[in-house]
């Protein structure tokens, strides 16, 4: 069966039954989206590790997935918890090593525009959004990313978080 012929629910059911390849297909289907969430929530420099962490936690938590919410909402919930845990951990680190933490990294992918002015405006917008997200408490970052950037409905966000 081709990768696109199975629903997320079917892939997760197969994965729960021990089919590791099914979980691999699920990861490939959602990796780009989860990476985008994490880049916006924790910054581009940490997005790869954070994305890997989300899928590792999802794999370890397959048995707990009850199917009451869509798999995408389940992943968003795991991502939200990963973001909160990351910032809790950094907060503890900062208390121990005050002043030694570098927060200069941020989300700055290459801008796509029609010209240098468009590229500059897009880059500035991304920088402002990244700075604004950094100012939010960690528990509010994923809801803002999902609603205002990913354009999820409030019902979808409520299910996932």
């Amino acid at each position: 069966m081709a990768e696109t012929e199975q629903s997320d629910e079917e892939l997760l059911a197969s994965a729960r039954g021990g089919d590791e390849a099914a979980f691999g297909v699920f990861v490939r289907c959602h990796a780009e989206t989860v990476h985008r969430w994490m880049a916006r929530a924790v910054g581009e420099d940490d997005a790869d590790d954070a994305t890997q962490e989300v899928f590792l936690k999802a794999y370890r938590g397959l048995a707990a997935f009850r199917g009451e919410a869509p798999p995408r909402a389940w992943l968003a919930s795991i991502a939200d918890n990963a973001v909160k845990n990351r910032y809790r951990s950094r907060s503890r680190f900062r208390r121990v090593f005050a002043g030694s933490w570098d927060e200069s990294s941020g989300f700055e992918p290459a801008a796509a525009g029609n010209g240098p002015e468009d590229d500059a405006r897009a880059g500035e917008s991304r920088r402002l959004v990244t700075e604004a997200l950094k100012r939010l408490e960690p528990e509010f970052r994923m809801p803002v990313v999902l609603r205002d950037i990913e354009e999820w409905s409030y019902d979808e966000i409520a299910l996932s978080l």
Side-chain angles (χ1 to χ4, degrees), residues 13-14 20 56 65 77 126 138 153:
S14 295
E20 290 181 15
L56 179 61
F65 178 69
S77 177
R126 277 192 300 281
S153 72

Side-chain angles (χ1 to χ4, degrees), residues 68-97:
E68 294 172 358
R72 182 174 82 145
W74 177 62
L75 279 177
S77 177
I78 294 169
D80 182 54
N81 287 329
V83 169
K84 288 175 187 174
N85 290 339
R86 181 173 290 261
Y87 283 97
R88 250 185 248 121
S89 172
R90 285 186 177 176
S91 176
R92 284 191 297 272
F93 181 84
R94 279 190 205 105
R95 283 194 301 270
V96 174
F97 300 100

Side-chain angles (χ1 to χ4, degrees), residues 98-113:
S100 66
W101 193 259
D102 176 19
E103 286 209 320
S104 62
S105 64
F107 174 57
E108 273 302 321

